[in-house]
Amino acid sequence: MGIEDFGGGQNPQADVLVVTTNDVPGYRVQQVIGEVFGLTVRSRHLGSQIGAGLKSMIGGELKGLTKTLVETRNQAMERLVEQARGANAVLMFRFDVTEAMDGAAEVCAYGTAAVIAQEPMV
């Protein structure tokens, strides 16, 4: 399992720009569409729970759980973009992760859908 298995984020050719900032340099907000979110809940499978339990006794990264959480966050982000309703950007993007039940994590990706336009060069 290489480091690339633990990455995340957006495809550089995405139709909807997702940023954690309130604005995008060189662009202006033409229209605010409103809040959007993508939600997913995942449970750990038995094998990863046993492996995590053993690993927690000796210390170190729980790679199986890390990979699952990255996949879960990416799915929540994909669902957020699907909900963008005609926007070409999601501003103030954030993740919220909570324990939904024992062994399950709820991941919510949220932000503000907006239409942005590039400002003319002066």
Side-chain angles (χ1 to χ4, degrees):
M1 190 177 323
I3 190 70
E4 64 277 354
D5 294 326
F6 299 104
Q10 191 173 25
N11 179 333
Q13 288 80 35
D15 293 331
V16 177
L17 177 66
V18 179
V19 297
T20 60
T21 56
N22 295 337
D23 51 23
V24 179
Y27 289 78
R28 70 180 169 80
V29 176
Q30 289 185 313
Q31 178 186 3
V32 172
I33 295 174
E35 180 187 22
V36 291
F37 66 91
L39 180 67
T40 186
V41 179
R42 292 246 180 122
S43 65
R44 298 183 299 225
H45 62 76
L46 183 59
S48 72
Q49 284 182 297
I50 292 170
L54 294 172
K55 185 73 169 189
S56 67
M57 287 190 265
I58 58 172
E61 182 181 8
L62 306 174
K63 290 184 180 182
L65 294 179
T66 300
K67 185 176 179 185
T68 299
L69 186 54
V70 168
E71 291 170 350
T72 303
R73 287 173 59 124
N74 287 344
Q75 183 179 45
M77 188 172 180
E78 288 168 10
R79 289 180 178 177
L80 165 94
V81 170
E82 289 171 5
Q83 296 298 313
R85 302 185 308 260
N88 64 352
V90 175
L91 308 174
M92 298 176 286
F93 169 73
R94 302 288 188 269
F95 279 115
D96 186 36
V97 180
T98 58
E99 186 174 357
M101 56 184 261
D102 190 35
E106 171 192 352
V107 176
C108 182
Y110 63 96
T112 301
V115 176
I116 61 173
Q118 194 164 14
E119 294 179 333
M121 300 294 281
V122 179

